Structures are given as C-alpha cells and as structure tokens.
Amino acid sequence: MKMHQMMKITAAAAMALSLTACSSGSAAGDSSAASGSAAPENPYAYLLEGFEYEKPELDLSNADGVLKSVLDKGTLVIATSPDYPANEFVEEDGTVYGSEMMLAEYVAECLGVTLKIETMDFSGTLVAVDTGKVDMAFSGYGWKADREEQYQLTIGYTGNTKDYGHTLIIPAADEGKYKTLEDFVGKHILAQASSLQQMYVEDQIIALDPNGGTELEMVATLDQAILGLASGKCDAVALDGHTAENYVTQSDGQFALTNIKFDLTMYGEHEGNVAAAKKGETSLIEAVNTIIQFAIDHDYYANWYTAARERAGIEE
C-alpha cells in the first residue's frame, strides 16, 4: 500500500461514523462451534465472516458494574482510534476493520450482546472510558504504569510472532546518521499523544538531555506524524517496530529505519496490546480476559491479525 493509499485511508477514517451491530444470535457461554457469519442485519458481521470459532463457557450470574450494564442494555460500546493497521483502521469505503475490532466483535458475541464502535482521536479513547461514553477501549494500547494505575486492563494479546520492538524512523537522506538513542538528543521528534512511544522518548531520549534542547511534539494521529516527517517538520517519528517497517516500506524510499530500539526491560514484562475499562471494573475485565485467553489459546487472534494485515495491504 503506497503513501497515497494511506492518505485515502486517513480521509476515510476522518469520515467514519459510529455503527451499531447485532449479535450473532449465539448465547453467551455456548461452547458449540459457531460460524463467524452473523445475522444479515448486523453491520459488523463482516469482521468475523469466514472464520470458524467456538465460545468459552462464561458465568455471568454475578455480573456487576459496567458488565451488568452491558448485559442489561444488550450493547457493548467501545472506543477506538482507527489509524493503527493492522489492529484498527478504516478502509476507503469507510469500513472499520482490524484485528482488535474483530476481537471486540468476538467479545460482544461471547457476552451475547451487540457491538457499537465509536471512532475518535487516540487521546480521546481513554477519556471516553473515564466519562462513561464507552464501556471499553480497544486502540492498540501497550502496558504503561500510569495506565495500570488509572484503568482496569485486560491481559495482553498479540498477532505477531516476531519481536519488532519500538523504534524511530527518519528521512531516507539521514540513513546511517543515528547509531544510538543518544544521537537523537537535540532533535525534533514526533509521537502520538498518550502512546507508549511518547513515554519511551521522554524516558530514554529527553532524560539524556540536560540542556532541554530535544523537542518532543505530540500529535493526535500517526498519519499526522508521518506527514510531519514527509514535509520536513521533524527529524524522526517514534513508532512501534512493525508499524515503522510498514511505513518505511510504503514510503517509496522516502523514509528509513534506524534499527535503534528503545529499551523495554525497564518497564517489565507486558507483552502485546491490552484493552481498557474504568478502574475497578473487575467483573467486566475478568469476563473479557476469559474470552481473550480462549481466543489466544485457539489461535483466533493470530488468525484475525493475519487477515487484517492482508486486508490493510501490509507485508510481513
């Protein structure tokens, strides 16, 4: 997928409307084999269409808090920022897709409720959880200490078998210029607001700069960061490694990888992405964790990620 195609996806994301889906009709706790194709009137049926899957046994008799509200109203409302393929993205026709959206649809089906997706800027996704606008947020989150303190997080899930890490991309003209993270001291770096990469730049580059000459600028979307790099507005963009490789591949030689990775050992072992709910919503997260673990154990999420990557035109 070339740069102009990414721009089309960005435009589609900006116009994306929130859609409400109907469940597949299978009751929560039904562990019998089910087709991924739901009822025709379900706008999100396409997310799991063509996949065969089962559902875990769930005991929802003691549901409370947000989980009870979800079951009572029959709808699971989630927030996402659809600018992070293959996890979540918007296609040219406005279709919301991605492995995390497939996971969210699966969670809703396992709970026996319908799904509603609210699209917004990344920085607004957790605010939507705080304010009760949504029940959960699925938006490519990685573990952060402050997130764990402020939100109820699910277990991690990943579709990757390769350790891509987190890195920075630069203009192709600067290839070979940077050897270590310290070489970025004094430079202008873009990162998505509230992202893991923002934390990594602050902890591992700005912390090395006693003179305060390093400029970290936060942007609402990854596409804004990429446009900033393309226009010469910044020296580098901090990204997760897989996304970085994809953007470089799609740039027609405009960008280059640095092959410099942020040190993640200081943050502990928290593999993959996590979904978030309001702090204290243990009933909801325990049920969702059971569903996620079932999807991981049966390789459902890995298959969804592969399908989403292919749909987004991303090459391994």
Side-chain angles (χ1 to χ4, degrees):
M1 183 170 62
K2 305 302 182 183
M3 287 297 290
H4 71 278
Q5 291 175 298
M6 295 194 311
M7 291 297 294
K8 289 180 180 178
I9 288 179
T10 304
M15 296 186 294
L17 297 177
S18 172
L19 300 175
T20 305
C22 297
S23 73
S24 65
S26 299
D30 179 9
S31 61
S32 60
S35 169
S37 179
E41 66 271 15
N42 180 359
Y44 292 118
Y46 63 85
L47 287 170
L48 296 179
E49 196 168 48
F51 290 95
E52 292 291 331
Y53 56 87
E54 298 179 353
K55 301 175 185 179
E57 294 287 348
L58 297 174
D59 181 3
L60 304 176
S61 59
N62 295 318
D64 59 17
V66 170
L67 177 58
K68 185 176 186 306
S69 174
V70 166
L71 297 176
D72 288 346
K73 68 185 178 183
T75 306
L76 174 68
V77 185
I78 70 158
T80 194
S81 177
D83 59 353
Y84 185 35
N87 292 56
E88 44 267 335
F89 58 97
V90 179
E91 299 182 297
E92 293 182 31
D93 62 357
T95 301
V96 181
Y97 205 77
S99 56
E100 285 194 293
M101 300 300 93
M102 299 160 89
L103 176 60
E105 170 67 8
Y106 179 65
V107 168
E109 290 193 13
C110 289
L111 293 177
V113 300
T114 65
L115 178 67
K116 181 178 181 181
I117 300 174
E118 297 281 359
T119 61
M120 58 195 69
D121 284 346
F122 183 74
S123 59
T125 54
L126 291 178
V127 174
V129 171
D130 284 329
T131 60
K133 180 179 180 180
V134 301
D135 303 308
M136 295 188 68
F138 292 73
S139 202
Y141 306 117
W143 178 91
K144 294 173 67 175
D146 60 340
R147 282 183 186 152
E148 188 168 56
E149 291 172 0
Q150 298 172 36
Y151 300 94
Q152 212 69 42
L153 303 178
T154 68
I155 59 174
Y157 46 87
T158 177
N160 292 325
T161 56
K162 177 180 176 182
D163 177 18
Y164 287 92
H166 298 259
T167 186
L168 301 103
I169 63 173
I170 56 176
D174 292 336
E175 189 170 10
K177 179 178 179 179
Y178 301 93
K179 305 297 183 183
T180 67
L181 289 173
E182 192 169 5
D183 292 335
F184 288 96
V185 170
K187 302 302 181 181
H188 184 179
I189 303 169
L190 296 187
Q192 190 171 39
S194 301
S195 67
L196 285 172
Q197 291 75 42
Q198 175 187 340
M199 177 178 71
Y200 298 153
V201 173
E202 291 171 343
D203 292 350
Q204 300 183 45
I205 296 179
I206 292 180
L208 300 174
D209 184 3
N211 300 318
T214 306
E215 182 179 357
L216 171 59
E217 180 180 349
M218 272 74 76
V219 294
T221 69
L222 292 180
D223 298 289
Q224 290 175 335
I226 296 303
L227 289 174
L229 187 64
S231 64
K233 179 181 180 181
C234 65
D235 298 300
V237 172
L239 298 163
D240 83 83
H242 196 196
T243 304
E245 287 191 6
N246 292 331
Y247 275 124
V248 169
T249 299
Q250 296 158 9
S251 72
D252 290 331
Q254 192 173 8
F255 307 142
L257 291 168
T258 61
N259 295 318
I260 300 170
K261 291 186 177 181
F262 289 100
D263 178 12
L264 306 188
T265 60
M266 60 191 293
Y267 306 107
E269 296 292 330
H270 299 278
E271 183 180 5
N273 295 116
V274 297
K278 189 174 291 187
K279 192 68 176 178
E281 294 298 337
T282 55
S283 181
L284 173 63
I285 292 301
E286 285 174 2
V288 173
N289 278 345
T290 298
I291 296 168
I292 292 175
Q293 190 63 59
F294 193 87
I296 293 171
D297 291 343
H298 291 74
D299 292 326
Y300 297 158
Y301 191 76
N303 292 334
W304 298 336
Y305 186 84
T306 297
R309 189 181 66 239
E310 292 174 355
R311 184 86 163 244
I314 297 172
E315 297 181 1
E316 187 67 44

